[in-house]
Amino acid sequence: MTDYSDTHTTSAAAAAAAGTAQAQLDQSPRSPIPVEDSDRPIEVDDLQPGDGDSVYDDDFSTFTASLTSSVLNYPIEHGRRYHAFRAGIYCLPNDELEQERLDLTHAVMTKSLGDRLFLCPIDISKMQRVLDIGTGTGIWAIAMGDEYPHAQILGNDLSAIQPPWVPPNVKFEIDDVECPWVYEAPFDFIFCRYMATSIADWPKLVSNAYDNLAPGGWAEFQDFDLQYYSEDGSLKPESYTYQWITTLLDAARQTGRDPCPGPKLEGYLRDAGFINVEHRRIRWPIGPWPRDPHLKEVGMYNWHQIMQGLEAFSLRLYCQVLGWKEEEVMVLLGHVRNELRNPGLHAQFDFHVSYGQKKPSSKGKN
């Protein structure tokens, strides 16, 4: 039995970081991503597998609030609250518990990118209009508004869960990004993050981003390949965790919304006409098992957001798409939790960042 309270002091740091994600943002000039693309396996820290006991579990606090809106008649399913506007097209809940997880995931994302909000080399002085697609709790848009007060930041989402008190240069609207775009003026920067399982037509979304950029503007997409894997064989095909995530991804695909768009983003950008396209793959360990201190911290944050989100990820897809009973799902998730508490399990998945620029002299795609 291994007690992580002695060997993993990042647990307390992870708990504190969820509520102070914005304070972690690096104010220095952007430098190359700290975790380079590499096929070299992640080194495992010197840990002994435990029998399920763990102090990964910590309480987290983060800001959550809702905008006053006519779209707040949220349906309740399986004890969780879901969006009302264009109900049913997004499989995750929007309640306070999920908002906390989303803000924690924001902390994981920025941490894995060296405490940066984006990677594209946009000329900050020319960044006047910014669109945040699928803004969620609005934490990225708010951080952008604080860091770049000269820019106007617009965030859209299906749910009105953004806080009412925001920087004066930040606004939110309720919208479905897969409906026609009708913005009055083009944007200098369009940002899209964590839309796995949300988009039915990715090429159309990327094409819309291109069409709504000013010449020379940039778009950046950050998303996942949510298939869990291990580099040392510790995640076995017969494990509950592997069977759970594989079945979950298959259910998401049955809805027509890709759960693993990350590896395809670069191709979508090139096909839409973007130039200066770049792509990064960043591995996200699940747990603090890596030897590298940076990956260890990312892994601890990631472990917490997964453990907090297991029910949110699973209930709609397993119950409504696959026809499972809620009690059956809960039993499976109990097994998954026990496996994820074992430091001998070295599971991970990939986070992808792709960005590109609209042709400076172009008025359209041609």
Side-chain angles (χ1 to χ4, degrees), residues 169-191:
N169 58 329
V170 176
K171 295 182 180 179
F172 297 112
E173 65 179 14
I174 307 305
D175 196 12
D176 180 357
V177 299
E178 295 203 273
C179 290
W181 291 26
V182 290
Y183 296 108
E184 296 179 354
F187 296 92
D188 305 297
F189 181 30
I190 295 178
F191 182 78

Side-chain angles (χ1 to χ4, degrees), residues 2 237 259 261:
T2 301

